[in-house]
Each structure stands twice: as structure tokens, then as C-alpha cells.
Amino acid sequence: MTGTAALTMAGRSLRISRRSPDALIAALMLPVMLMLIFVYFFGGAIDTGTAYVTYVVPGAMLLCAGFGAASTAVSVADDMKNGIVDRLRSLDVGGVPVLAGHVTASVVRNLVSTTLVLAVALAIGFRPRASAPAYLAAAGLLVAYITAISWLAATLGLLAKSPEAAGGFTFLMMFLPYPSSAFVPIDTMPSWLHGFAGHQPLTPVIESLRALLLDRPAGNAPWTALAWCAAITALAVTLAGVLFRRRTR
Amino acid sequence: MTPRALGIHATGLTKSYGDLRVLDGLDLSVPRGSVLALLGPNGAGKTTTVRVLTTLTAPDSGTARVAGHDITGARALVRERISLTGQFAALDDLQTGAETLRMTGRLTGLSAREARARAGELLDRFGLSEAADRLTKTYSGGMRRRLDLAASLVGKPAVLFLDEPTTGLDPRSRAELWDLVRELRADGTTVLLTTQYLEEADRLADRVTVLDSGRVTAEGTPAELKARVAGHRLDLTLTSRDAYEALTARAVHHDPGALTLGLPTDGTAAHVRALLDELDPDRTGVERFTLRTATLDDVFLALTGAPR
């Protein structure tokens, strides 16, 4: 029953996002544009030891996920504001299925936009050299990451007092890729940033994707990345359950 | 009446938000298959009553059984048997009418096929078949309310809560919605509706409960209440301050500047004549009078006995 409810809610969210073309286009175009800006405007000045496009693609994919998740926070806040949540609750649909619907739709949306980023990257010279299992591992890690930040976004959507505030909260998520190894190597940053940039959750995700896609040794990074994703998801789901009950009392 | 025969039975419900006491020991009983109107001004506690009875808000104290189940002990069972249509249509602008009803059907546990059939049935019944595949943002206010009500009926509820169902509707849409509520009642559904309109309570309800400051201030059939409220107001302009002070306690409307008091009456010549004779036996106190139709404010004042 809970599964059906979550799937039904996911269908709803997907239908609604398919019908908001402006939001969809923004979510698809922004990450691609940012990737192009980094590759063509800044890339020439950044020395990463490889072609910059090769370096930046994993970061661009995560940036993309950040944008996608932001719209999840806004839709959750929207649902909380109008009467829809009351209707759902009087149908005995709990908080977790309602949010799981948003999160599932967010994962699907993000996979579409990530594929687009990847396609554009291939067109401008990104040449992955991964084996089939490595591709699968990279895709799995990406899904885990998108799931984690979508849950985080859904939770922020519950915390926010209004959809506008929810949009503001997600700013943080969109900036998190910058102080990481997404766009520039960490050792080029000021030393006081090394600690944060090296250990924040995005860095192992990016390092793993880079290693998997380019057939390089990944070390522990994929496990660290998965642990972060699992921890963020667990925390956000728990918090979302509590907040949902509190917000709708 | 035995509790079993009651669709809704509440005793001593209280609810406070901070220092504000919204429900102050509310008692209600609604027999199965009947319509109760909760009448009251804004802030009387109508919406809170609905939220408590639909399990969306927990009461601070008191108990209630809805459709035979306890609202705190058996919340899930209550939710299975009820549905709620709120003050604002809870619809997604970017879904069609048919999608809205199918989604609701799936959430109430119908299979995809059953949900489709039920959606078709309700769209038909609510006159929305032609608009079934249009996005609800293109619907008129009346259509949105009808779709919202249809969505709340997908699960065939035993008890239906309607929170100000016709606020903001044009007269024709309002009449259509009234017809639908009467049909539901004829099918045996228990209905609790809140309204600010005396006329709506009069047309739809078997019994009316008047709520003020979270308490029941009057209860009865529409005819009984109307008899108490009278329906008209006799405005008396008095000749002196003394005459004004002498009658002020009986009035429901006060205008000391103009030395005018308003009193409830049924508007018949016999009652007006009797009232004038009674209030002003020596025919010196009243300078002139006007008869006007009672406003909703007069109704509340007459029933609550205090200016709000």
C-alpha cells in the first residue's frame, strides 16, 4: 500500500514537472550552460593535468543534480502550503510516501538532465574510458547521490515556511560543488579550505565518478561516497518523517 | 440516541494554540445519514472542529467518534471512512480532472482499473465528463469545487466533511453544489458542513449548530433557530437617553449616538405592533421605527447574546 502510494505520488510529480516546461528547461539548460562556461571560459586558465572537459564532467553532473533537487524542495513546500497535504492525509497517505513520490520524480528528472549533460560533454570532447561494470558502478553511485540530495531537498522543503524560502534554502546545495574538487584541484585552493574541500561529501563522489569513468584507481573513494549518501539519505528520511508530522499537526 | 446510530459524536473537545482557546468544550452529535451545519463567524472554531474530527489536528482534551471509530485511538480506521473537502480546492493545476480522480482512487487502494472506472463514474455524475481531459487550471471556480468534492467521494466515505463548500461561488454553482449534497444525504452519507451563510444552513441541514468562540451557543433544526432569530430587525429611534437606557439590554443592535436600538422580530404586523406596545406602553419613548431584514450579524448577536 505504501509502495503503491509512493508510485502514485511519483506519477503525479512527473506529470506535473513534464507540464511545467519553463522549470524543466531551466533545470536542463543551466547545468549544460555552466559546464560550457567552465570548459570554454575558465577551462583554459585552469591546469588540471588533463583536458579540462575531462576533469569537469563529474562536477557538472553533480551541479545538475543540485539544480534538480532545488525544484523538489520548492514543490514539497508548495504541497505543504495549499490544501493538498490535508487531502492526502485524510486519505491516510503518510509523509514518507508523499515525499518519496517527490524524490522518485526528482531522481527521474535528474537522470534525464544528467544524460543530457553527458551527451553535450561527449559532443565537446569528453572521452570516457570505462568498462561496462565501471559505467554501471558510476551510474549506481550517481543515483545514490541524487537520491540523497533529493531527500535532503524534500526535508528542506518541509522546513521552509514558504516555497520562496525553500528556493532560498537550496542555494546552499547548489554552491556545495564549488569548494570541492569539482571544478579545480583542491591543492590550488587556500590551505584553510583544504580540510573542508577534501572531506565534504561531494569530493569523494566526484573523485569516484572521475576514477570510474576514466578507468583510474579509485581507492576508497566509492565506499566513502556511498557511506555519505547512505548517511544523508537516512538522516533526511528520518528528519522528514518527524517534520511532516510536526508541520501537519 | 445510541452512539452506534451516530455518524459523529464528540464530547468536551478542547484545543488551544498558545493562549488562544479555539475549542472550548465542544459537544456535537450527528445522526447517521443526516446533515449538520456548523454555523459561525470567522474565528468561531469551525475549521478547527473539522480538522480535529478529520484527525488532522489532535484535540488537547475530549473525545470523539467518527463513523464509529475513535479519532485518536483509531485514526487510520477513521480516515478510511471519511473524507474532507477544505475551504480551498485541493487540486493540482497541472493535472486533468480525470488524472486527479484516478490518482485519488489509487491512493484509496483501488486497482488501476477500478480507479479508472470510478473516475469516469464521478466525472459523469458531477457534470465534468467533457472537461475530464483538461488541466484543472482551466476550470471555473464552480468546476473546481465540484471536482474537489468528486475527489473526496472516490473512496465512498460514510462521513463527509465540507469546510465552507460554497464560499466564493456564484449563486448557480452554489445551487448545483447544494443539489449534490442532498443526493449524498439521500444515499445515506453523514455530512458535516461549515458555513457562514444562514441560507445555506437553512437549505441543506437537518440540524444547525451555532458556534461562537469555540463553544456551542445554539442548536436545533433550521426552523427552530429561525424562530429564535426572527429574521427581521425593528430599529427604534428613541425620544430620550432614559428611554434608550431602559431598553438597551433587549437590543441586538446599538447606536447610542442616534439613540437607536435594533430588536429581533419576525416582521409580521402583529408582532411589530405587540413589540411596540410592550416596549413603549405609554407611547412616549419611541419617536420612529424602521423594519429591516436581519443580517447575519443580527443572527449571531441574537444567538450569542453578546457583540463579537
Side-chain angles (χ1 to χ4, degrees), chain A residues 129-169:
Chain A
R129 290 184 302 270
S131 60
Y135 268 123
L136 278 180
L141 183 58
L142 203 58
V143 170
Y145 173 74
I146 294 172
T147 307
I149 63 162
S150 298
W151 269 110
L152 193 61
T155 308
L156 289 175
L158 283 182
L159 268 175
K161 292 266 183 293
S162 70
E164 293 75 18
F169 274 180

Side-chain angles (χ1 to χ4, degrees), chain B residues 96-117:
Chain B
T96 68
E99 285 165 353
T100 303
L101 296 182
R102 287 205 299 268
M103 174 185 91
T104 315
R106 295 289 281 149
L107 293 175
T108 55
L110 299 181
S111 71
R113 194 204 192 112
E114 289 164 340
R116 187 175 296 270

Side-chain angles (χ1 to χ4, degrees), chain A residues 1 4-5 8-9 12 15-16 19-20 79 83-84 86-93 248-249, chain B residues 51 56-57 76 79 84-85 90-92 94-96 99 103-104 106-108 135 148 151-152:
Chain A
M1 181 58 213
T4 313
T8 306
M9 295 309 294
R12 161 186 179 253
R15 268 197 300 279
I16 292 174
R19 287 168 190 163
S20 348
D79 275 4
I84 288 170
D86 285 346
R87 159 64 49 75
L88 295 172
R89 288 184 70 225
S90 73
L91 291 170
D92 211 22
V93 182
T248 53
R249 187 140 291 181
Chain B
R51 290 186 63 86
L56 296 179
T57 299
R79 288 182 181 174
L84 164 67
T85 303
L91 300 173
D92 289 314
L94 293 176
Q95 291 208 88
T96 68
E99 285 165 353
M103 174 185 91
T104 315
R106 295 289 281 149
L107 293 175
T108 55
L135 297 184
D148 198 36
S152 74

Side-chain angles (χ1 to χ4, degrees), chain B residues 196-245:
Chain B
Q196 302 192 47
Y197 306 115
L198 191 61
E199 189 198 358
E200 184 157 278
D202 189 16
R203 299 281 283 273
L204 280 183
D206 298 301
R207 294 189 77 79
V208 178
T209 293
V210 181
L211 210 59
D212 192 37
S213 311
R215 258 190 308 255
V216 174
T217 54
E219 205 273 332
T221 65
E224 286 165 7
L225 289 183
K226 267 193 296 186
R228 289 174 58 183
V229 171
H232 289 78
R233 199 176 87 196
L234 183 66
D235 281 5
L236 306 175
T237 305
L238 301 155
T239 50
S240 68
R241 176 68 47 187
D242 287 346
Y244 180 90
E245 296 299 339

Side-chain angles (χ1 to χ4, degrees), chain B residues 18-89:
Chain B
D19 287 340
L20 186 67
R21 203 159 175 85
V22 185
L23 295 184
D24 192 9
L26 185 77
D27 301 323
L28 274 183
S29 46
V30 189
R32 284 203 179 160
S34 72
V35 178
L36 176 85
L38 265 190
L39 190 64
N42 281 329
K46 301 191 299 286
T47 297
T48 306
T49 306
V50 169
R51 290 186 63 86
V52 167
L53 293 175
T54 52
T55 76
L56 296 179
T57 299
D60 295 337
S61 69
T63 59
R65 294 178 82 79
V66 172
H69 300 290
D70 188 89
I71 55 160
T72 43
R75 192 176 295 180
L77 288 172
V78 171
R79 288 182 181 174
E80 267 173 32
R81 307 295 311 282
I82 63 163
S83 80
L84 164 67
T85 303
Q87 265 175 47
F88 307 100

